[in-house]
């Protein structure tokens, strides 16, 4: 098997690059960059990045602060930046054609908003995202709690995959219809980038902020060498922290984990595949922390959440259709309209639904396709309704398996026009998107 094939079994430890932690910049310049995705000594990969690197710089603000950044577009085609998961002012949401004009070549846009929720978020291009994100236009956005949890290290773990050629370039064909009609553009090379890359000690308590920044791949992740709990999903604290056992991240989803290091050697991030576990990356463990006393992992302080009015909730259904092996596909798609919501592919002039501000809605997401989809709503978080009909995790992206139906409950309290789409970006490119309006 070719060593760059996805299932390489050699250690990728040496590949985890050193990203330097800079303080939050006041400008984000999107530009071509070259990245050392392959091991040192092998060719670099031409990509797109922010301020000279992909991933872009870590943006950190404290909860409640105003986030102010000038975006300059030097990538040679239109772009815009979306602040994924942040419940912000609609005009700052970064969706060309819906909330702003595309930022043209060599033009700029001033983004300014209040970061009212603490948590783990990320930013990424929202113009031709299936290509611009695949090429590296993204980075982490961390909103720090005013009273952060007591940990020894706060580490960001970005998980991505790339489709590489032999020469170390990204394979082209970003709009390949076969990919779009199936699971999207899956890479043949995957990695977890840890930032900052400092060694930790056995006995240390760490916070791990996992972010799946891949365009299309769902990552189940197993963490070895640390024992702990999931304390937040998609940036939002869980009322009771959950066991770490089954962690699955759809594209764009995040998990915050607080864990104690049990291994004397390393924390390893494993991706289980049919052909065995694939090592995405690791954090070296050096010496031991003898001072830390064992203690419970407690919940993070909650962000402000408006309780839904279930008795008066609007009831809606959004059915995912299309893709390979579907009736829609058999009938032949027009102009790349491979996927649809309720029979409609792509954005229409009128919203899928117009909500009154503050209205609660229960939306039934019906996956009538042969593929899983990660459905993302802009500007809001929503509750996943559990099998017991109770309100479960509060997220901005929900993974609905092939053939599955999932209800979500959302309080539409953020005025404006908000995109609702599959975050498998190849599916979004091929029609799986719509929008809602909150008056
Ligand atoms: Cu992560 Cu429509 O966005
Ligand atoms: Cu999808």
């Amino acid at each position: 098997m070719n060593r760059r094939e996805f299932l390489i079994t050699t250690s990728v430890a040496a590949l985890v690059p050193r990203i330097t932690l800079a303080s939050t910049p006041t400008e984000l310049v999107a530009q071509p960059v070259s990245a050392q995705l392959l091991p040192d000594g092998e060719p670099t990969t031409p990509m797109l990045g922010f301020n000279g690197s992909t991933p872009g710089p870590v943006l950190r603000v404290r909860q409640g602060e105003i986030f102010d950044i000038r975006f300059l577009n030097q990538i040679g085609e239109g772009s815009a930046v979306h602040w994924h998961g942040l419940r912000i002012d609609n005009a700052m949401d970064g969706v060309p054609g819906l909330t702003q004009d595309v930022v043209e070549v060599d033009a700029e846009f001033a983004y300014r908003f209040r970061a009212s929720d603490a948590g783990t978020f990320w930013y990424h291009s929202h113009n031709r995202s299936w290509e611009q994100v695949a090429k590296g236009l993204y980075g982490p956005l961390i909103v720090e709690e005013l009273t952060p949890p007591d940990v020894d290290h706060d580490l960001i773990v970005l998980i991505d995959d790339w489709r590489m050629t032999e020469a170390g370039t990204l394979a082209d064909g970003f709009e390949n219809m076969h990919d779009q009609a199936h699971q999207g553009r899956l890479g043949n090379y995957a990695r977890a980038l840890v930032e900052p890359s400092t060694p930790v000690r056995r006995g240390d308590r760490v916070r791990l902020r996992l972010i799946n920044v891949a365009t299309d791949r769902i990552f189940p992740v197993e963490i070895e060498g640390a024992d702990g709990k999931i304390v937040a999903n998609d940036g939002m604290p869980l009322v009771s922290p959950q066991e770490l056992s089954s962690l699955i991240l759809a594209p764009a989803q995040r998990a915050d984990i607080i864990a104690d290091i049990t291994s004397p050697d390393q924390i390893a991030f494993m991706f289980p595949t049919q052909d065995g576990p694939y090592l995405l990356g690791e954090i070296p463990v050096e010496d031991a922390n003898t001072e830390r006393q064992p203690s419970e992992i407690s919940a993070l302080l909650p962000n402000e959440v408006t309780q839904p009015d279930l008795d008066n909730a609007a009831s809606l259904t959004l059915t995912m259709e299309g893709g390979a092996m579907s009736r829609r596909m058999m009938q032949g798609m027009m102009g790349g309209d491979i996927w649809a919501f309720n029979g409609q592919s792509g954005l229409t002039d009128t919203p899928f639904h117009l909500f009154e501000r503050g209205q609660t809605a229960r939306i039934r997401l019906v996956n009538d396709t042969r593929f899983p989809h990660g459905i993302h709503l802009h500007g809001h978080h929503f509750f996943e309704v559990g099998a017991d009909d109770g309100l479960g995790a509060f997220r901005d992206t929900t993974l609905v398996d092939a053939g599955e139906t999932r209800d979500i409950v959302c309080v539409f309290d953020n005025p404006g026009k908000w995109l609702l789409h599959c975050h498998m970006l190849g599916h979004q490119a091929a029609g799986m998107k719509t929008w809602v309006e909150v008056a």
Side-chain angles (χ1 to χ4, degrees):
M1 195 201 309
N2 184 296
R3 58 180 294 278
R4 281 183 201 137
E5 297 268 308
F6 189 60
L7 301 170
I8 48 173
T9 47
T10 53
S11 167
V12 291
L15 307 185
V16 178
R18 310 271 145 178
I19 317 171
T20 43
L21 179 67
S23 58
T24 291
T26 55
E27 275 184 7
L28 262 191
V29 187
Q31 55 198 176
V33 299
S34 64
Q36 189 72 55
L37 292 186
L38 296 176
D40 283 340
E42 296 219 32
T44 56
T45 304
M47 299 181 71
L48 297 176
F50 289 105
N51 299 4
S53 72
T54 177
V58 178
L59 305 182
R60 267 181 192 273
V61 281
R62 298 197 77 203
Q63 184 170 18
E65 275 178 7
I66 298 287
F67 176 86
D68 209 334
I69 208 156
R70 216 169 121 225
F71 167 61
L72 292 98
N73 177 14
Q74 297 175 0
I75 64 167
E77 66 174 33
S79 197
V81 186
H82 171 56
W83 316 96
H84 184 114
L86 284 166
R87 302 188 289 177
I88 55 173
D89 190 0
N90 190 244
M92 296 292 122
D93 198 43
V95 181
L98 194 66
T99 68
Q100 68 168 93
D101 291 331
V102 72
V103 183
E104 301 289 356
V105 176
D106 296 329
E108 57 180 77
F109 190 90
Y111 289 102
R112 187 183 152 85
F113 53 83
R114 186 178 297 278
S116 45
D117 291 324
T120 301
F121 304 95
W122 65 300
Y123 60 97
H124 63 80
S125 157
H126 215 298
N127 192 52
R128 307 193 60 255
S129 56
W130 51 92
E131 178 167 338
Q132 292 186 6
V133 174
K135 286 181 170 173
L137 271 188
Y138 61 73
L141 200 172
I142 306 301
V143 184
E144 290 172 356
E145 293 89 0
L146 297 177
T147 320
D150 170 30
V151 297
D152 300 299
H153 298 277
D154 184 328
L155 304 171
I156 299 165
V157 184
L158 294 170
I159 302 173
D160 201 354
D161 72 345
W162 301 270
R163 189 178 292 178
M164 310 281 291
T165 65
E166 273 303 291
T169 56
L170 294 182
D172 52 19
F174 292 94
E175 294 179 4
N176 179 299
M177 291 227 313
H178 182 272
D179 288 339
Q180 290 181 348
H182 292 77
Q183 274 168 281
R185 180 184 167 98
L186 300 180
N188 52 6
Y189 193 66
R191 215 169 61 185
L193 305 179
V194 181
E195 152 68 40
S197 79
T198 40
V200 295
R201 296 168 300 176
R202 183 163 52 86
D204 274 350
R205 178 161 280 191
V206 292
R207 176 179 192 162
L208 303 169
R209 302 172 182 266
L210 273 60
I211 311 176
N212 181 354
V213 295
T215 52
D216 299 271
R217 185 182 287 280
I218 300 166
F219 278 104
V221 184
E222 282 166 11
I223 299 175
E224 290 171 6
D227 215 12
K229 298 221 161 120
I230 303 174
V231 295
N233 284 322
D234 295 351
M236 292 295 176
L238 286 158
V239 181
S240 8
Q242 268 168 17
E243 293 310 318
L244 242 182
S245 51
S246 58
L247 180 61
I248 298 177
L249 293 174
Q253 287 188 324
R254 288 89 67 210
D256 279 56
I257 292 158
I258 293 181
D260 297 323
I261 298 172
T262 52
S263 162
D265 313 307
Q266 62 173 45
I267 305 178
F269 297 95
M270 309 301 296
F271 169 34
T273 73
Q274 294 158 340
D275 300 279
Y278 178 90
L279 177 61
L280 292 167
E282 59 191 11
I283 302 170
V285 176
E286 285 171 10
D287 87 84
N289 177 350
T290 47
E291 269 122 66
R292 185 170 274 280
Q293 300 302 317
S295 65
E296 280 287 295
I297 292 168
S298 42
L300 300 173
L301 293 177
N303 288 313
E304 202 179 300
V305 179
T306 311
Q307 284 315 305
D309 176 6
L310 290 168
D311 293 338
N312 298 300
S315 210
L316 300 164
T317 300
L318 197 66
T319 303
M320 301 156 228
E321 297 157 347
M325 295 170 284
S326 70
R327 220 177 323 125
R328 190 179 178 86
M329 231 16 216
M330 305 298 177
Q331 287 164 354
M333 324 89 39
M334 318 267 290
D337 292 349
I338 296 170
W339 301 96
F341 280 133
N342 295 353
Q344 174 63 48
S345 206
L347 300 189
T348 45
D349 291 343
T350 49
F352 160 64
H353 197 83
L354 175 65
F355 296 98
E356 273 163 51
R357 186 170 178 183
Q359 193 179 1
T360 297
R362 179 170 178 141
I363 306 177
R364 178 151 295 173
L365 301 173
V366 180
N367 184 346
D368 188 17
T369 81
R370 305 288 187 103
F371 299 90
H373 300 286
I375 305 300
H376 171 49
L377 171 65
H378 283 220
H380 299 79
H381 273 60
F382 51 79
F383 294 95
E384 291 179 332
V385 178
D388 58 352
D389 215 42
L391 299 184
F394 191 53
R395 331 195 53 129
D396 61 49
T397 305
T398 184
L399 180 61
V400 189
D401 274 331
E404 194 190 357
T405 291
R406 150 109 20 83
D407 285 8
I408 57 170
V409 165
C410 184
V411 181
F412 286 90
D413 56 359
N414 196 356
K417 299 175 173 182
W418 303 106
L419 212 59
L420 173 60
H421 66 90
C422 180
H423 220 290
M424 275 80 170
L425 297 176
H427 294 173
Q428 188 204 338
M432 198 177 265
K433 59 178 163 193
T434 185
W435 62 288
V436 299
E437 185 161 5
V438 181

